[in-house]
Amino acid sequence: MLQSIPTIDICTLADDIKQDEILISRFAAYLDAHKNLFFPHRHSFYHLVLFTDGRGSHTIDFESFDVRQGQIYFMIPGQVHSWAFEGFTDGYIINFSSSFIQSFLLRSGYFDNFNFLNGNPKDEVIDLPADQLPEIIALFEKIVSEVEKPAVLGSDMVRVLMLQLFILVNRCQGKGDGFGKQGYNQTLIRNFQKLIEQHYIDVKLPKDYAELLYITPNHLNAVCKDVLGLSAGEVIRNRTLLEAKRLLTNPRLNISEIAFNLNFSDNSYFTKFFKKIEGITPEEFRKKTLNNKS
């Protein structure tokens, strides 16, 4: 697989951090230290930012959002993003590996209950209610303090505070009532999406995923339409399309290389696939996206 969009690791960002599982900083200081992170890139870790000051825009997987005071956003590993700020911007940033939090939990699927960690940009960007913002800022301040003034069991305290933060943000979304009570259909869809993430390059057909899930293709399709409003085939194709868009942001890759990366038989088939869903050719999408970044 050709390298496409630059992937940032925590250890490459943190010169003064002794571990590669978490990086915590005030956002203005982070921007000042990493001036080269305005171009489209992806992370190998979870990434969250709370804006307390500033204007501009940021993009997550080709969904654009205006920067607003009191806005918090989350990203999962592999998502592509960039930002363009206007003037001074501040807040808080936490980059963390999945193992940093999961090592503290007996329930390995606990994160699945948080919609803002599902990889859908529309769920990941949240404008916090004004009356909740002071409490959430206070939590960030406690987390920063644990880094600036290390104490006994400091890492565990950070984990506890981060879980409290996640629960408060989840409540702000109004998603708390069914927490931990995902039904069969939701669990099946989550498992389907995880399989797609692992195999979308090589496994293209719903029947093959149905076999991996030990259900019939018709059942898989019915559940997808019920939960997502899409057919199983559309869910698979949308993931391939997303990766195609990510690869197209790298001008060093030509269309034939991208088609090969995504396991299309030829460039023509890839172009037809892309245009049928997106409405424009890969070349047109690339030109539009790169022009917007310039």
Side-chain angles (χ1 to χ4, degrees), residues 222-237:
V223 173
C224 284
K225 288 184 176 179
D226 180 53
V227 176
L228 303 175
L230 302 170
S231 69
E234 287 176 299
V235 179
I236 300 166
R237 290 189 291 274

Side-chain angles (χ1 to χ4, degrees), residues 48-285:
L48 75 92
V49 171
L50 171 66
F51 294 116
T52 58
D53 193 10
R55 296 174 55 195
S57 65
H58 61 104
T59 302
I60 303 174
D61 276 343
F62 313 100
E63 294 275 353
S64 185
F65 304 90
D66 292 330
V67 171
R68 283 192 280 269
Q69 181 183 14
Q71 182 185 87
I72 190 169
Y73 77 81
F74 296 78
M75 281 177 47
I76 66 172
Q79 288 189 287
V80 172
H81 84 127
S82 61
W83 47 46
F85 299 123
E86 300 171 8
F88 178 76
T89 305
D90 203 4
Y92 306 88
I93 182 169
I94 302 178
N95 296 330
F96 62 100
S97 69
S98 60
S99 61
F100 181 78
I101 291 280
Q102 293 287 11
S103 64
F104 209 56
L105 301 172
L106 289 175
R107 292 164 54 188
S108 60
Y110 189 78
F111 273 11
D112 291 345
N113 292 286
F114 295 113
N115 280 10
F116 49 75
L117 296 177
N118 68 8
N120 183 347
K122 289 183 171 62
D123 291 326
E124 294 175 325
V125 179
I126 304 149
D127 293 317
L128 298 170
D131 61 340
Q132 295 291 319
L133 190 56
E135 184 177 6
I136 289 174
I137 288 177
L139 271 177
F140 273 100
E141 282 292 334
K142 288 180 181 179
I143 292 169
V144 169
S145 178
E146 287 294 329
V147 175
E148 294 178 343
K149 300 175 182 178
V152 176
L153 298 177
S155 292
D156 286 347
M157 180 61 79
V158 169
R159 290 179 174 96
V160 170
L161 292 169
M162 286 176 64
L163 284 175
Q164 188 176 349
L165 172 67
F166 292 172
I167 291 169
L168 283 176
V169 172
N170 194 69
R171 289 176 179 175
C172 290
Q173 281 188 302
K175 306 287 187 182
D177 291 344
F179 193 89
K181 301 177 182 178
Q182 291 190 5
Y184 167 79
N185 284 357
Q186 287 75 21
T187 300
L188 178 62
I189 290 298
R190 182 75 68 173
N191 290 336
F192 177 42
Q193 291 170 328
K194 288 179 179 178
L195 285 173
I196 292 174
E197 196 63 33
Q198 296 170 21
H199 302 294
Y200 69 91
I201 297 293
D202 301 310
V203 181
K204 305 289 189 183
L205 299 178
K207 68 180 182 64
D208 295 323
Y209 286 100
E211 184 176 348
L212 291 170
L213 292 165
Y214 301 101
I215 60 175
T216 67
N218 286 343
H219 183 50
L220 175 60
N221 203 50
V223 173
C224 284
K225 288 184 176 179
D226 180 53
V227 176
L228 303 175
L230 302 170
S231 69
E234 287 176 299
V235 179
I236 300 166
R237 290 189 291 274
N238 285 347
R239 180 60 184 90
T240 303
L241 178 70
L242 173 59
E243 197 63 26
K245 290 179 177 180
R246 290 173 173 177
L247 293 170
L248 285 164
T249 63
N250 181 2
R252 292 174 295 178
L253 290 179
N254 63 44
I255 304 302
S256 295
E257 288 173 321
I258 293 172
F260 177 79
N261 275 2
L262 295 175
N263 203 23
F264 284 87
S265 56
D266 57 55
N267 182 25
S268 175
Y269 179 38
F270 169 64
T271 298
K272 289 177 182 177
F273 165 85
F274 192 96
K275 186 173 183 180
K276 183 177 181 180
I277 304 176
E278 193 65 14
I280 57 176
T281 67
E283 292 90 343
E284 291 167 337
F285 176 84

